[in-house]
Amino acid sequence: CLVILLIQVHKGFAQIPVEVFGGHKKATIDIMFFKFIKDKEAANSNWLFFNRNRASIDYKMNSSSNLPQFGFTEAISYNRKALKGFAPVAVVQILNRGVYPKLGLQFAKQGKDYTIFTWLVSEVVKDPFADWFFLGRYTPRLTKKMNLFLQAELINAFPFNNTNNFSF
């Protein structure tokens, strides 16, 4: 894929943020996107789909330890214009340790060169936590053909009981 990408450098368009990290202990990949589902006229419908896939492989992996870690997050929300960016959201997370359905409230706002995307959701089946996710993105135009890409994320988990720890 990288070779094809390098051959086609004269015509590259970033569509989906992908991060690949190789370190001295492990390698990770992170793929994320969210888009409105198009209606019959190819305009944005009220439905917004969020997708995030992450995986990590430790170089010292063997059959019993340092096993691969993965997480898939899929979410769908119904965004009525009257709610000005707020929407109910349903999330499912598939992790190494299980499947976690979640429900909550989302806020999404996109401007010409910025994006604000956040949600507060709670797991609905077992041991609930309030999960707060925030993504802020700034993409101002640098040249006629290039934009800057700055992104900040916060992922926090707040337990509903005293036996679990906060996660920031």
Side-chain angles (χ1 to χ4, degrees):
C1 278
L2 184 58
V3 172
I4 293 170
L5 187 66
L6 292 175
I7 291 170
Q8 298 294 324
V9 293
H10 67 281
K11 193 162 190 152
F13 298 99
Q15 298 297 318
I16 298 174
V18 176
E19 295 176 345
V20 178
F21 297 101
H24 69 287
K25 293 185 178 182
K26 63 177 136 181
T28 62
I29 185 167
D30 188 345
I31 302 167
M32 180 188 65
F33 70 88
F34 52 94
K35 290 187 175 210
F36 281 94
I37 297 170
K38 302 293 182 186
D39 62 17
K40 293 176 185 175
E41 290 80 35
N44 289 347
S45 73
N46 289 333
W47 294 98
L48 179 65
F49 178 67
F50 176 92
N51 172 285
R52 181 145 206 193
N53 300 300
R54 290 178 280 183
S56 175
I57 297 176
D58 193 302
Y59 299 141
K60 294 180 181 178
M61 177 180 68
N62 60 42
S63 61
S64 61
S65 67
N66 301 319
L67 298 173
Q69 300 291 310
F70 66 87
F72 307 123
T73 301
E74 314 299 328
I76 189 94
S77 60
Y78 185 72
N79 297 264
R80 290 184 46 136
K81 287 183 173 88
L83 296 176
K84 301 191 185 295
F86 289 96
V89 63
V91 178
V92 65
Q93 288 186 309
I94 303 166
L95 308 172
N96 287 65
R97 59 187 186 273
V99 177
Y100 301 90
K102 301 176 180 189
L103 294 173
L105 184 66
Q106 168 188 293
F107 178 78
K109 179 121 175 127
Q110 290 184 297
K112 179 182 172 195
D113 56 1
Y114 73 92
T115 299
I116 297 171
F117 183 84
T118 187
W119 69 41
L120 182 63
V121 296
S122 176
E123 207 272 320
V124 294
V125 177
K126 53 188 169 199
D127 201 20
F129 279 77
D131 289 346
W132 177 54
F133 173 73
F134 171 84
L135 178 140
R137 187 180 291 164
Y138 182 56
T139 57
R141 184 163 300 285
L142 294 176
T143 68
K144 199 173 188 180
K145 295 183 178 183
M146 186 170 32
N147 288 40
L148 179 66
F149 184 93
L150 295 173
Q151 181 169 297
E153 293 182 45
L154 299 171
I155 302 171
N156 301 282
F158 306 98
F160 286 125
N161 59 42
N162 293 335
T163 60
N164 292 318
N165 296 322
F166 289 88
S167 178
F168 301 104

